[in-house]
Amino acid sequence: MLDLVLKNGKIVDGSGNPWYRGDVGVKDGVIVSVGQIDQEAHQVIDVSRKIISPGFIDGHCHSDLMIIDHPHSEIKMQQGVTTEVVGNCGLAPAPFVRNKADLLQTYVQPVLGSTSWEWPWETVGEYMDFVARSNPSEHIATYVAHGALRIAVMGFENRPATTAEIARMKELLEEGLRAGAIGLSIGLLYAPGSYTSREELVELCSVLPKYNGLFSTHIRGEGNNLLPSVAEVIWIAERAGISLHISHLKAAGKANWGKVLEALELVEDARARGMDVTVDVYPYNAGSTTLTTVLPPWVLEGGIEATLEAFRNPTLRARIKEELSHEQQHWDNLVCSTGWNSIVISAVQSEGNKSLEGKHIAEVAEIRGQHPVDCMMDLLLEENGQIAIVYFHMSDDDVKQVIAYEKSLIASDSLNCEIGKPHPRTYGTFPRVFAKYVREDKVLSLEQAVRKLTSFPVQRFKLGKRGLIVPGYLADITVFDMDTIQDTATFADPRQFPTGITHVVVGGQLTMQHGVHTHKREGSLIRAQHCCSI
């Protein structure tokens, strides 16, 4: 007897092939039959006129700590997500060196959030073990994060790493890869990643080929420096002989709109030379990050406490204001390219500033009677450097171009959402793909969209036998109504679950039924099965 049969659905199997009508049978956590099923089952669900799809893969998000505090993962379950990939952009809670605890925790807090409990891990492997013991509702895979490596070995020092320091970072990277991390992520926009030369990264990446690890990159600049930044990471990957994945490809600032086509040409040229290069994109024209990313890189040297101290120094404060007033050659000044009215405060820590959430910096500066740069620095002082922002700096046409690109997959890039007004992508990314880009704008076909959310990310991140509706694959399944699926989260009111997703199966267990979480927690920690030459 089967455990579960989904009857009479439109099966979109994840391969990109046309949908077909049929049933899906599940036994012991695995899809065992697809087609017309007459075999008895403990549970039979009629899903007539609905889509049966593999569970969606969020291949780029920042749920590293949320998955521990909220293992039911209802925000993602409601979107049909059955697997998340964390440790992105060089940001992760491990490796965690005790004497640099404050540096790492304040570094990741605006993106990953914080915890009310002490972190018990030190290595990436111990973090992975801890996540596994939290018994989540979804599956989790992780990278080793370069920012965390650099902090563990050399803090926020703005200088090249020594030979000994590179050797130590390579040891920590290899430890994480042996534990099952899928590769190395970097965030060259963020200090201390921004202090790293491409030659240093080539040396660090020399560890990856032995483990067939993926090199995932938040590039150094997404505005005026978009094209040289894409070229830089291609250069690194080519010399290291590794596969490259470029995170959330975009062109920031109106003067740069349209450059995504040139960036994609760089990707195509690299692929023509035999390089394995792909990209991802989120389906919105606004991003989200921490307010400190607008600062000149030198201001972040030494960690957040040193940054706040710089704001208290009149000479350094004047230098910051001067540098933010014009374009820069060696780093992207997104204030110049997009303006203070494009930077919206999404989350603060203090109750006294809660009324500012949802307002852009120019508006807050006007309320306070300040220059926007002074307002920004004072706000960071008041909030101990912990301010999340939403950044309206992209073109809808550019987003469509990257979504339509054959070698792009779609992911949320969702941040911690414990406080404030998070970016609506946290609650709405996956339904939005179908509602806007399939049903309304017709940028993708149904089958193309499902492939970009299922089998493609599984292949890219080496996540095992999931992502397809075929016998022998894990029973991670999402059922939705193509006519009613809709994201309802907005920038003004982002904490709203979508509609149209009726059932989610994780590891063969019905985790969402008729849009309600069943409290099943059948997720697992996915450990990469590296082909190590040792």
Side-chain angles (χ1 to χ4, degrees), residues 293-524:
T293 58
V294 308
L295 294 165
W298 64 265
V299 184
L300 302 169
E301 184 178 352
I304 194 63
E305 287 304 321
T307 298
L308 299 180
E309 196 57 37
F311 297 160
R312 298 184 182 100
N313 182 315
T315 301
L316 296 180
R317 194 177 180 102
R319 178 184 170 188
I320 293 167
K321 186 183 290 188
E322 192 279 329
E323 290 189 11
L324 289 176
S325 69
H326 56 86
E327 296 287 2
Q328 298 289 328
Q329 183 177 356
H330 300 295
W331 54 276
D332 268 349
N333 184 351
L334 295 179
V335 172
C336 270
S337 59
T338 62
W340 289 109
N341 59 354
S342 297
I343 304 172
V344 175
I345 297 170
S346 64
V348 296
Q349 303 292 314
S350 71
E351 286 300 319
N353 283 328
K354 284 293 180 184
S355 63
L356 303 181
E357 292 175 344
K359 291 182 171 62
H360 55 71
I361 296 292
E363 182 181 3
V364 177
E366 185 176 354
I367 292 170
R368 292 187 167 202
Q370 289 183 293
H371 188 283
V373 179
D374 288 315
C375 177
M376 175 267 296
M377 290 189 283
D378 286 349
L379 282 170
L380 285 168
L381 282 168
E382 293 164 20
E383 298 297 325
N384 199 31
Q386 308 300 322
I387 298 178
I389 59 172
V390 170
Y391 224 148
F392 291 89
H393 56 359
M394 293 145 59
S395 156
D396 285 328
D397 288 341
D398 281 358
V399 174
K400 288 179 182 178
Q401 291 283 357
V402 184
I403 283 177
Y405 179 55
E406 184 186 13
K407 287 94 174 180
S408 74
L409 57 89
I410 302 172
S412 75
D413 194 19
S414 57
L415 278 56
N416 176 274
C417 62
E418 295 283 2
I419 59 175
K421 292 187 175 183
H423 193 300
R425 66 191 183 190
T426 302
Y427 283 77
T429 289
F430 297 87
R432 181 176 175 82
V433 172
F434 296 99
K436 179 172 175 58
Y437 295 96
V438 176
R439 193 173 64 220
E440 297 173 17
D441 294 348
K442 297 179 172 51
V443 174
L444 300 172
S445 70
L446 170 62
E447 292 84 358
Q448 288 171 329
V450 169
R451 184 188 73 86
K452 284 175 177 282
L453 301 180
T454 59
S455 67
F456 185 9
V458 167
Q459 171 190 307
R460 174 79 291 191
F461 305 126
K462 301 179 180 68
L463 301 179
K465 295 187 72 173
R466 52 175 51 82
L468 291 170
I469 302 291
V470 295
Y473 271 57
L474 294 175
D476 295 341
I477 303 169
T478 294
V479 177
F480 63 96
D481 187 328
M482 189 58 213
D483 294 329
T484 63
I485 190 169
Q486 184 69 57
D487 58 308
T488 63
T490 65
F491 288 100
D493 189 5
R495 297 179 183 277
Q496 299 188 81
F497 289 136
T499 60
I501 294 175
T502 59
H503 298 80
V504 179
V505 178
V506 181
Q509 294 294 316
L510 199 59
T511 307
M512 294 285 295
Q513 185 169 15
H514 302 299
V516 178
H517 203 300
T518 64
H519 302 291
K520 296 287 187 181
R521 289 162 59 178
E522 295 296 320
S524 62

Side-chain angles (χ1 to χ4, degrees), residues 79-155:
Q79 296 180 65
V81 173
T82 56
T83 300
E84 290 191 293
V85 179
V86 300
N88 287 284
C89 298
L91 292 149
F96 180 50
V97 178
R98 298 293 164 181
N99 64 359
K100 295 186 177 72
D102 186 61
L103 287 178
L104 181 61
Q105 289 175 328
T106 55
Y107 168 64
V108 303
Q109 184 175 341
V111 175
L112 306 188
S114 59
T115 61
S116 59
W117 38 271
E118 294 292 325
W119 296 357
W121 56 77
E122 293 184 1
T123 67
V124 174
E126 289 169 350
Y127 163 77
M128 295 169 73
D129 291 342
F130 193 82
V131 171
R133 290 194 297 272
S134 72
N135 196 26
S137 284
E138 59 184 340
H139 308 296
I140 301 293
T142 188
Y143 290 100
V144 179
H146 172 249
L149 288 181
R150 212 168 200 268
I151 290 171
V153 174
M154 52 189 300

Side-chain angles (χ1 to χ4, degrees), residues 59-60 88-90 143 184-189 214-222 225-238 242-251 259-271 273 275-282 402-403 405 407-413 456 460-461:
H60 186 112
N88 287 284
C89 298
Y143 290 100
L184 173 69
S185 81
I186 63 172
L188 296 181
L189 178 68
L214 181 62
F215 181 46
S216 177
T217 65
H218 183 133
I219 57 178
R220 201 176 295 272
E222 298 170 329
N225 289 313
L226 170 64
L227 299 180
S229 295
V230 171
E232 177 186 35
V233 294
I234 289 174
W235 185 92
I236 293 166
E238 193 160 21
I242 53 180
S243 299
L244 170 66
H245 184 72
I246 299 174
S247 300
H248 37 63
L249 183 65
K250 67 176 77 72
K259 286 184 180 178
V260 292
L261 293 177
E262 296 174 73
L264 294 176
E265 287 176 6
L266 292 174
V267 173
E268 284 297 307
D269 289 345
R271 292 186 65 88
R273 297 195 301 272
M275 291 186 66
D276 178 11
V277 186
T278 52
V279 306
D280 66 55
V281 59
Y282 46 79
V402 184
I403 283 177
Y405 179 55
K407 287 94 174 180
S408 74
L409 57 89
I410 302 172
S412 75
D413 194 19
F456 185 9
R460 174 79 291 191
F461 305 126

